Amino acid sequence: SGMLKTTVGVHPTCCNEFVNHPEGASSLLSSLSKLIKENKSLVVALGEFGLDYARLEYCPADIQRTYFRLQFDLLNDHPD
């Protein structure tokens, strides 16, 4: 009670962050996974991630779909 809670994820319009990450997409996914694992009492949901086809000028649909799936898979890694 009284403690700030948070979500972890990359917004669909920012999924180019995976593609452009200096250490590669898998490194960014690993960082998200580690953040979740090390902060279980603070991370209450995986988000905001999804698909945003209304603003494809920020990130193409195929990249959004790829990293939606990979972020969704983080749920299986952290079922609690």
Side-chain angles (χ1 to χ4, degrees):
S1 69
M3 183 171 275
L4 182 66
K5 304 291 183 173
T6 191
T7 63
V8 173
V10 176
H11 190 277
T13 61
C14 297
C15 281
N16 284 323
E17 295 293 323
F18 288 103
V19 176
N20 298 325
H21 193 276
E23 296 172 14
S26 61
S27 178
L28 181 51
L29 284 163
S30 291
S31 294
L32 292 174
S33 181
K34 182 178 178 184
L35 188 62
I36 294 166
K37 182 179 179 181
E38 293 178 354
N39 297 284
K40 285 188 177 195
S41 65
L42 301 176
V43 177
V44 295
L46 189 59
E48 174 180 352
F49 76 106
L51 301 171
D52 188 342
Y53 292 166
R55 297 185 286 175
L56 293 175
E57 67 271 18
Y58 297 107
C59 187
D62 60 327
I63 293 175
Q64 288 187 39
R65 283 191 301 273
T66 296
Y67 294 103
F68 170 83
R69 282 187 217 103
L70 292 171
Q71 288 184 86
F72 188 82
D73 287 345
L74 292 175
L75 294 171
N76 293 326
D77 294 342
H78 306 282
D80 297 353

